[in-house]
Coordinates of all heavy atoms in Angstrom, one line a residue:
S1387 N 98.8 88.3 57.8 CA 98.5 88.8 56.5 C 99.7 89.7 56.0 O 99.9 90.7 56.7 CB 97.2 89.5 56.4 OG 97.3 90.8 56.8
S1388 N 100.3 89.3 54.9 CA 101.4 90.2 54.4 C 102.5 90.4 55.4 O 102.9 91.5 55.7 CB 100.8 91.5 54.0 OG 101.6 92.2 53.2
L1440 N 94.8 88.1 35.7 CA 95.7 88.8 36.5 C 95.0 89.5 37.7 O 94.0 90.2 37.5 CB 96.4 89.9 35.7 CG 97.2 89.4 34.4 CD1 97.5 90.5 33.5 CD2 98.5 88.7 34.9
D1441 N 95.6 89.4 38.8 CA 95.2 90.2 40.0 C 95.8 91.6 39.8 O 96.7 91.7 39.0 CB 95.7 89.4 41.2 CG 95.7 90.3 42.5 OD1 94.6 90.8 42.8 OD2 96.7 90.4 43.1
Y1442 N 95.3 92.5 40.6 CA 95.9 93.9 40.4 C 96.9 94.2 41.5 O 98.1 94.2 41.3 CB 94.8 95.0 40.3 CG 95.4 96.3 40.1 CD1 95.9 96.7 38.8 CD2 95.6 97.2 41.1 CE1 96.5 97.9 38.6 CE2 96.2 98.4 40.9 CZ 96.7 98.8 39.7 OH 97.3 99.9 39.5
D1443 N 96.4 94.4 42.7 CA 97.3 94.9 43.8 C 98.3 93.9 44.2 O 97.9 92.7 44.5 CB 96.4 95.3 45.0 CG 95.6 96.6 44.8 OD1 96.2 97.7 44.9 OD2 94.4 96.4 44.4
G1444 N 99.5 94.3 44.3 CA 100.6 93.3 44.7 C 101.0 92.4 43.5 O 101.9 91.6 43.7
T1445 N 100.3 92.5 42.4 CA 100.7 91.7 41.2 C 101.1 92.6 40.1 O 102.2 92.6 39.6 CB 99.5 90.8 40.8 OG1 99.2 89.9 41.9 CG2 99.8 89.9 39.6
S1447 N 100.7 96.0 40.4 CA 101.2 97.2 41.0 C 101.8 96.8 42.4 O 101.4 95.8 43.0 CB 100.0 98.2 41.3 OG 99.2 97.6 42.3
P1448 N 102.8 97.6 42.8 CA 103.4 97.3 44.1 C 102.5 97.6 45.2 O 101.6 98.5 45.1 CB 104.7 98.2 44.1 CG 104.4 99.3 43.1 CD 103.4 98.8 42.2
I1449 N 102.6 96.9 46.3 CA 101.8 97.2 47.5 C 102.4 98.5 48.1 O 103.6 98.7 48.4 CB 101.9 96.1 48.6 CG1 101.2 94.8 48.1 CG2 101.4 96.5 49.9 CD1 99.7 95.0 48.0
V1450 N 101.5 99.5 48.3 CA 101.8 100.8 48.9 C 100.9 101.1 50.1 O 99.8 100.5 50.2 CB 101.8 101.9 47.9 CG1 102.9 101.7 46.8 CG2 100.4 102.0 47.2
D1451 N 101.2 102.1 50.9 CA 100.4 102.4 52.0 C 99.0 103.0 51.7 O 98.1 102.7 52.4 CB 101.1 103.4 52.9 CG 102.3 102.7 53.7 OD1 102.3 101.5 53.7 OD2 103.1 103.5 54.3
D1452 N 99.0 103.8 50.6 CA 97.8 104.4 50.3 C 97.1 103.7 49.1 O 97.6 103.7 48.0 CB 98.1 105.9 49.9 CG 96.8 106.6 49.4 OD1 95.7 106.1 49.5 OD2 97.0 107.7 48.8
P1453 N 96.0 103.0 49.3 CA 95.4 102.3 48.2 C 95.0 103.2 47.0 O 95.0 102.6 45.8 CB 94.1 101.8 48.8 CG 94.3 101.8 50.3 CD 95.2 102.9 50.5
D1454 N 94.8 104.4 47.2 CA 94.6 105.3 46.0 C 95.8 105.6 45.2 O 95.7 106.2 44.2 CB 93.9 106.6 46.5 CG 92.5 106.4 47.0 OD1 91.9 105.4 46.6 OD2 92.0 107.2 47.9
S1455 N 97.0 105.3 45.8 CA 98.2 105.5 45.0 C 98.9 104.3 44.5 O 100.1 104.2 44.2 CB 99.2 106.3 45.9 OG 98.6 107.4 46.5
A1456 N 98.1 103.2 44.4 CA 98.6 101.9 43.9 C 98.6 101.9 42.4 O 97.8 101.3 41.7 CB 97.9 100.8 44.5
F1457 N 99.6 102.6 41.8 CA 99.6 102.7 40.3 C 100.5 101.7 39.7 O 101.5 101.3 40.2 CB 100.1 104.1 39.9 CG 99.2 105.2 40.5 CD1 99.8 106.1 41.4 CD2 97.9 105.3 40.1 CE1 99.0 107.1 41.9 CE2 97.1 106.3 40.7 CZ 97.6 107.2 41.6
I1477 N 91.5 91.0 34.1 CA 91.9 91.5 35.4 C 90.8 91.0 36.4 O 89.6 91.3 36.2 CB 92.0 93.0 35.5 CG1 92.9 93.5 34.4 CG2 92.6 93.4 36.9 CD1 94.4 93.3 34.5
I1478 N 91.2 90.3 37.5 CA 90.3 89.9 38.5 C 90.7 90.5 39.8 O 91.7 90.1 40.4 CB 90.1 88.4 38.6 CG1 89.9 87.8 37.2 CG2 89.0 88.0 39.5 CD1 89.5 86.4 37.1
S1479 N 90.0 91.5 40.3 CA 90.5 92.2 41.4 C 89.5 92.3 42.6 O 88.3 92.2 42.3 CB 90.8 93.6 41.0 OG 91.1 94.5 42.1
G1480 N 90.0 92.6 43.8 CA 89.1 92.8 44.9 C 88.5 94.2 44.9 O 87.5 94.5 45.5
R1481 N 89.1 95.1 44.1 CA 88.6 96.4 43.9 C 87.3 96.4 43.1 O 87.0 95.5 42.4 CB 89.6 97.3 43.2 CG 90.9 97.6 44.1 CD 91.8 98.4 43.3 NE 93.0 98.6 44.0 CZ 93.4 99.8 44.7 NH1 92.6 100.8 44.6 NH2 94.5 99.9 45.3
S1482 N 86.6 97.6 43.1 CA 85.4 97.7 42.3 C 85.9 97.7 40.8 O 87.0 98.1 40.5 CB 84.6 98.9 42.6 OG 85.3 100.1 42.1
K1485 N 87.0 101.1 39.6 CA 88.3 101.5 40.1 C 89.5 100.8 39.4 O 90.5 101.4 39.0 CB 88.4 101.3 41.6 CG 87.7 102.4 42.4 CD 88.0 102.2 43.9 CE 86.9 102.9 44.7 NZ 86.9 102.5 46.1
V1486 N 89.3 99.5 39.3 CA 90.5 98.8 38.7 C 90.6 99.1 37.2 O 91.7 99.2 36.7 CB 90.4 97.3 39.0 CG1 89.4 96.5 38.1 CG2 91.8 96.6 38.9
A1498 N 87.0 92.0 36.0 CA 86.1 91.4 37.0 C 86.4 92.1 38.3 O 87.6 92.0 38.8 CB 86.3 89.9 37.2
S1500 N 85.3 93.5 42.5 CA 84.7 93.0 43.7 C 84.9 91.5 43.8 O 83.9 90.7 44.1 CB 83.2 93.3 43.7 OG 82.9 94.7 43.4
H1501 N 86.1 91.0 43.7 CA 86.5 89.6 43.8 C 85.7 88.7 42.8 O 85.3 87.6 43.1 CB 86.2 89.1 45.2 CG 87.2 89.7 46.2 ND1 88.5 89.5 46.2 CD2 86.9 90.7 47.2 CE1 89.1 90.2 47.2 NE2 88.2 90.9 47.8
N1562 N 91.1 102.9 57.3 CA 90.6 103.4 56.1 C 89.6 102.4 55.5 O 89.9 101.2 55.4 CB 91.8 103.6 55.1 CG 91.4 104.1 53.7 OD1 90.3 104.6 53.5 ND2 92.3 103.9 52.8
V1563 N 88.4 102.9 55.1 CA 87.4 101.9 54.6 C 87.2 102.3 53.1 O 87.0 103.5 52.8 CB 86.1 102.0 55.4 CG1 85.1 100.9 54.9 CG2 86.4 101.9 56.9
E1564 N 87.2 101.3 52.2 CA 86.9 101.5 50.8 C 85.6 100.8 50.4 O 85.4 99.7 50.8 CB 88.0 100.9 50.0 CG 89.3 101.7 49.9 CD 90.3 101.0 48.9 OE1 90.6 99.8 49.2 OE2 90.6 101.5 47.9
N1565 N 84.8 101.5 49.6 CA 83.6 100.9 49.0 C 83.9 100.3 47.7 O 84.3 101.1 46.8 CB 82.5 101.9 49.0 CG 81.2 101.3 48.6 OD1 81.1 100.2 48.1 ND2 80.1 102.0 48.9
H1566 N 83.8 99.0 47.5 CA 84.0 98.4 46.2 C 82.8 97.9 45.6 O 82.8 96.8 45.0 CB 85.1 97.3 46.3 CG 86.5 97.8 46.6 ND1 87.0 98.8 45.8 CD2 87.4 97.6 47.6 CE1 88.3 99.1 46.3 NE2 88.5 98.4 47.4
C1569 N 81.5 94.7 47.6 CA 82.3 94.3 48.8 C 82.9 95.6 49.4 O 82.9 96.7 48.7 CB 83.3 93.3 48.6 SG 84.5 93.6 47.3
T1570 N 83.4 95.5 50.6 CA 84.0 96.7 51.2 C 85.3 96.3 51.9 O 85.3 95.1 52.4 CB 83.0 97.5 52.0 OG1 83.6 98.6 52.5 CG2 82.4 96.7 53.2
S1571 N 86.3 97.2 52.0 CA 87.6 96.8 52.6 C 87.9 97.7 53.8 O 87.7 98.9 53.6 CB 88.7 97.0 51.6 OG 88.5 96.1 50.5
V1572 N 88.3 97.1 54.8 CA 88.8 97.9 56.0 C 90.3 97.7 56.1 O 90.8 96.6 56.4 CB 88.1 97.5 57.3 CG1 88.6 98.3 58.5 CG2 86.6 97.5 57.2
H1573 N 91.0 98.8 55.8 CA 92.5 98.7 55.8 C 93.0 99.0 57.2 O 92.6 99.9 57.8 CB 93.1 99.7 54.8 CG 92.8 99.4 53.4 ND1 93.6 98.6 52.6 CD2 91.8 99.8 52.6 CE1 93.1 98.5 51.4 NE2 92.0 99.2 51.3
Y1574 N 94.0 98.2 57.6 CA 94.7 98.5 58.8 C 96.2 98.6 58.7 O 97.0 98.6 59.6 CB 94.3 97.5 59.9 CG 94.6 96.1 59.6 CD1 95.8 95.5 60.0 CD2 93.7 95.3 58.9 CE1 96.1 94.1 59.6 CE2 93.9 94.0 58.6 CZ 95.1 93.4 59.0 OH 95.4 92.1 58.6
R1575 N 96.7 98.7 57.4 CA 98.2 98.8 57.1 C 98.8 100.0 57.9 O 99.9 99.9 58.3 CB 98.4 98.9 55.6 CG 99.8 99.0 55.2 CD 99.9 98.8 53.7 NE 99.6 97.5 53.2 CZ 100.3 96.5 53.2 NH1 101.6 96.6 53.7 NH2 99.9 95.3 52.7
N1576 N 98.0 101.0 58.0 CA 98.6 102.3 58.6 C 98.1 102.5 60.0 O 98.3 103.5 60.6 CB 98.2 103.5 57.7 CG 98.6 103.3 56.3 OD1 99.7 102.8 56.0 ND2 97.8 103.7 55.3
G1604 N 92.7 89.8 53.7 CA 93.6 90.1 52.6 C 94.9 90.6 53.2 O 95.1 90.5 54.4
R1605 N 95.7 91.3 52.4 CA 97.0 91.8 52.9 C 96.7 93.1 53.7 O 96.5 94.2 53.1 CB 97.9 92.0 51.7 CG 98.2 90.8 51.0 CD 99.2 91.0 49.9 NE 100.5 91.3 50.3 CZ 101.6 91.5 49.5 NH1 101.5 91.3 48.2 NH2 102.8 91.8 50.0
K1606 N 96.8 93.0 55.0 CA 96.5 94.1 55.9 C 95.2 94.8 55.6 O 95.0 96.0 55.6 CB 97.7 95.1 55.9 CG 99.0 94.4 56.3 CD 99.7 95.2 57.4 CE 101.0 94.6 57.9 NZ 101.3 93.2 57.8
V1607 N 94.2 93.9 55.3 CA 92.9 94.4 55.0 C 91.8 93.4 55.4 O 92.1 92.2 55.2 CB 92.8 94.8 53.4 CG1 92.8 93.6 52.5 CG2 91.5 95.6 53.1
L1608 N 90.7 93.9 56.0 CA 89.6 93.0 56.2 C 88.6 93.2 55.1 O 88.2 94.4 54.9 CB 89.0 93.3 57.6 CG 89.9 93.2 58.8 CD1 89.3 93.7 60.1 CD2 90.4 91.7 59.0
E1609 N 88.1 92.2 54.5 CA 87.2 92.3 53.4 C 85.8 91.8 53.7 O 85.7 90.7 54.2 CB 87.8 91.6 52.1 CG 89.1 92.3 51.6 CD 89.9 91.4 50.7 OE1 89.9 90.1 50.8 OE2 90.6 92.0 49.9
K1618 N 86.9 84.6 43.1 CA 87.7 84.7 41.9 C 87.8 83.4 41.1 O 88.0 83.5 39.9 CB 89.2 85.1 42.3 CG 89.3 86.6 42.8 CD 90.7 87.0 42.9 CE 90.9 88.5 43.3 NZ 92.3 88.9 43.4
G1643 N 98.6 85.9 41.0 CA 98.1 86.7 42.1 C 98.9 86.6 43.3 O 99.7 85.6 43.4
D1644 N 98.7 87.4 44.3 CA 99.5 87.4 45.5 C 98.7 87.2 46.8 O 99.3 87.1 47.8 CB 100.2 88.8 45.6 CG 99.3 89.9 46.0 OD1 98.2 89.9 45.4 OD2 99.6 90.7 46.9
D1645 N 97.4 87.2 46.7 CA 96.6 87.3 47.9 C 95.8 86.1 48.2 O 95.7 85.2 47.3 CB 95.7 88.5 47.7 CG 95.4 89.3 49.0 OD1 95.7 88.7 50.1 OD2 95.0 90.4 49.0
N1646 N 95.2 86.0 49.4 CA 94.4 84.9 49.8 C 93.3 84.7 48.7 O 92.9 83.5 48.4 CB 93.7 85.1 51.1 CG 94.8 85.0 52.2 OD1 95.8 84.5 52.1 ND2 94.4 85.7 53.4
S1647 N 92.7 85.8 48.3 CA 91.5 85.6 47.4 C 92.0 85.0 46.0 O 91.1 84.4 45.4 CB 90.9 87.0 47.1 OG 91.8 87.9 46.5
D1648 N 93.2 85.1 45.7 CA 93.7 84.4 44.5 C 93.8 82.9 44.6 O 93.8 82.2 43.6 CB 95.1 85.0 44.1 CG 95.0 86.5 43.8 OD1 94.3 86.8 42.9 OD2 95.6 87.3 44.5
Ligands
LIG1990 O1 92.4 91.4 44.5 P1 93.3 92.6 44.6 O2 93.3 93.4 43.3 O3 94.7 92.3 45.0 O4 92.6 93.5 45.7 C1 92.8 93.2 47.1 C2 92.9 94.5 47.9 O5 93.8 95.3 47.2 C3 94.0 96.7 47.7 O6 94.6 96.6 49.0 C4 95.9 96.1 48.9 O7 96.8 97.0 48.2 C5 96.9 98.3 48.8 C6 97.7 99.2 47.8 O8 98.9 98.7 47.6 C7 97.5 98.2 50.2 O9 97.6 99.5 50.8 C8 96.7 97.3 51.0 O10 97.3 97.1 52.3 C9 96.5 95.9 50.3 O11 95.6 95.1 51.0 C10 92.6 97.4 47.8 O12 92.8 98.7 48.3 C11 91.7 96.5 48.7 O13 90.5 97.2 48.8 C12 91.5 95.2 48.0 O14 90.6 94.4 48.8

Side-chain angles (χ1 to χ4, degrees):
S1387 83
S1388 196
L1440 301 164
D1441 166 52
Y1442 183 76
D1443 290 279
T1445 300
S1447 66
I1449 291 290
V1450 292
D1451 285 347
D1452 174 14
D1454 291 336
S1455 307
F1457 302 115
I1477 307 288
I1478 308 192
S1479 171
R1481 291 179 183 256
S1482 72
K1485 278 189 204 168
V1486 80
S1500 312
H1501 295 290
N1562 173 20
V1563 188
E1564 281 183 298
N1565 188 341
H1566 289 308
C1569 55
T1570 183
S1571 297
V1572 182
H1573 290 274
Y1574 56 93
R1575 182 170 292 279
N1576 303 319
R1605 298 182 67 174
K1606 301 230 179 333
V1607 68
L1608 300 174
E1609 293 163 331
K1618 287 190 178 185
D1644 70 316
D1645 213 341
N1646 291 338
S1647 59
D1648 297 300

